[in-house]
Amino acid sequence: MKKLLMFVFAAGLVFNSCSKDDDEPVNEFSLVGIWQPSREIVVSGSNGVTLSNTAYSGCFLTSTFDFKSNNTLVSNIFEMNTSNNCVSTGIETVPYTYDHAAKKLVIEGENIEIVSRTVNELQIVSEYDDRNGDGVDDKIIFVLVKV
């Protein structure tokens, strides 16, 4: 009986030490890298209901936001000009800080509210504006995806 118990105990140790988690890399959120715009979400300021979730299209999708490891953000925004050509509005470099534990992002001295973050998607509040005309500012969420 003792031998059987020892075998069961030893087998349990072997199976527990070979868990699937040990073989897979841990995917943690990192702000560092190149991000592109994906969509805009508008959330009602009066009741929290999503008013719209609109995918960006065309020229703006080629814009990039490069969060560098030296705490500089290099943005390159593309828009259609009067001749209907997709052109860069200019490259801008500004400082940023990011505290993962506090979920705090500061770009050029301005606190940016983070709504959600995953390995491949970042949702930040870009502005507050009364989009539905009810007299209460709505939350405009800018969604970025990692390239």
Side-chain angles (χ1 to χ4, degrees), residues 51 129-136 138:
L51 301 173
D129 184 35
D130 184 12
R131 294 278 180 97
N132 61 357
D134 67 355
V136 178
D138 304 313

Side-chain angles (χ1 to χ4, degrees), residues 34-53:
I34 299 173
W35 298 79
Q36 289 186 299
S38 170
R39 65 188 194 279
E40 177 186 89
I41 302 169
V42 179
V43 177
S44 171
S46 59
N47 61 17
V49 171
T50 298
L51 301 173
S52 66
N53 188 344

Side-chain angles (χ1 to χ4, degrees), residues 3-144:
K3 286 183 183 181
L4 179 61
L5 286 176
M6 290 299 284
F7 175 76
V8 170
F9 179 72
L13 285 177
V14 168
F15 290 122
N16 283 335
S17 66
C18 295
S19 75
K20 186 177 179 183
D21 294 339
D22 294 341
D23 299 333
E24 294 181 13
V26 176
N27 288 329
E28 290 186 11
F29 178 83
S30 174
L31 189 61
V32 174
I34 299 173
W35 298 79
Q36 289 186 299
S38 170
R39 65 188 194 279
E40 177 186 89
I41 302 169
V42 179
V43 177
S44 171
S46 59
N47 61 17
V49 171
T50 298
L51 301 173
S52 66
N53 188 344
T54 308
Y56 291 120
S57 62
C59 184
F60 185 61
L61 287 173
T62 60
S63 301
T64 57
F65 301 87
D66 187 358
F67 288 89
K68 299 197 176 282
S69 60
N70 67 355
N71 285 21
T72 58
L73 166 61
V74 179
S75 61
N76 190 3
I77 309 298
F78 285 84
E79 294 179 355
M80 298 299 281
N81 67 10
T82 55
S83 301
N84 215 23
N85 294 318
C86 184
V87 296
S88 171
T89 61
I91 296 172
E92 186 176 1
T93 302
V94 297
Y96 81 89
T97 59
Y98 174 67
D99 181 337
H100 181 75
K103 203 173 164 182
K104 184 176 179 181
L105 175 62
V106 178
I107 299 176
E108 203 171 17
E110 183 180 341
N111 289 323
I112 306 297
E113 182 183 344
I114 297 174
V115 176
S116 173
R117 61 186 179 190
T118 66
V119 173
N120 297 316
E121 184 177 271
L122 174 65
Q123 296 182 7
I124 59 175
V125 176
S126 62
E127 65 177 309
Y128 290 90
D129 184 35
D130 184 12
R131 294 278 180 97
N132 61 357
D134 67 355
V136 178
D137 281 345
D138 304 313
K139 188 181 286 191
I140 315 305
I141 301 170
F142 183 51
V143 181
L144 298 163

